[in-house]
Amino acid sequence: MTIPAIAVVYYSGSGHTKVLADAVVTAAGSTGATAALFRVDELTEESWKFIDEADAIIFGAPTYMGTAPSAFHAFAEKTAGRWAVQKWHNKLGAGFTNAACKAGDKNSTLDYFATFGAQHGMNWINLGLLPGWKSTKGTENDLNRFGYFNGAAAQTFSDVGIEGVHPADIATAAHLGLRVAEITAIFAAGKAALGNQDLSNPNSDRELISAGA
């Protein structure tokens, strides 16, 4: 049986997003997948090797000023060489974010992650949940309590510690990790059945240029 590998690549400033990242990687790993957590500003050669060889990459970062913070963008720019040869072509991708405001332009960050993945030729996995807390019968404890679809979106007040991350948001992040792991298992099994052929990447034999190596 093929065991899928999932990389959770994140940045967290105050620790709130790290709580979500932990929930994502723990849930993914609970399925039997090999799941590993990587902070974008602490990547080693071994980290890059795992990410490059993973079947799926889940991106996570808080939303600052309408997008992911500069540390995540710096990571994205380091992947330019990988983009040039489409090294992550046909990997699966997903994303999660957190902001202090209930709206907070979180969808801008999720859209950015999806576009970043698309540039690498990745296939995006959505949250796969109906919106919660959308009627008087709902509560703030519902999964997907803010009604996002392109990924998991959380809200944590700026003046609380990591204990202030809402349990429903942690559970929604865990749902994302489970969903990615389940879909990745199907994807990895399909690749194994095809003999791990990369049937659609015309750049697979090109040399990885130094810009992002």
Side-chain angles (χ1 to χ4, degrees), residues 82-176:
R82 289 164 169 82
W83 164 81
V85 297
Q86 292 290 276
K87 191 172 183 63
W88 294 354
H89 191 85
N90 273 346
K91 289 186 186 295
L92 302 179
F96 60 95
T97 190
N98 183 62
C101 298
K102 293 193 185 304
D105 289 322
K106 292 188 283 288
N107 206 53
S108 296
T109 302
L110 294 176
D111 285 348
Y112 163 66
F113 289 155
T115 300
F116 173 55
Q119 289 183 335
H120 279 281
M122 298 170 68
N123 301 296
W124 200 249
I125 300 174
N126 58 55
L127 182 59
L129 281 175
L130 290 172
W133 206 12
K134 66 181 186 298
S135 72
T136 56
K137 296 179 181 179
T139 76
E140 65 173 308
N141 297 310
D142 293 342
L143 292 182
N144 194 21
R145 62 191 181 123
F146 298 119
Y148 285 81
F149 297 95
N150 212 19
Q155 181 266 334
T156 310
F157 294 115
S158 60
D159 58 350
V160 301
I162 60 173
E163 72 284 351
V165 180
H166 200 287
D169 294 339
I170 297 173
T172 301
H175 168 85
L176 179 69

Side-chain angles (χ1 to χ4, degrees), residues 5-43:
I6 300 170
V8 181
V9 181
Y10 82 100
Y11 176 76
S12 183
S14 61
H16 299 150
T17 307
K18 171 64 161 53
V19 173
L20 302 176
D22 287 337
V24 171
V25 75
T26 299
S30 72
T31 67
T34 301
L37 192 63
F38 303 101
R39 184 175 162 118
V40 296
D41 52 353
E42 297 176 354
L43 296 177

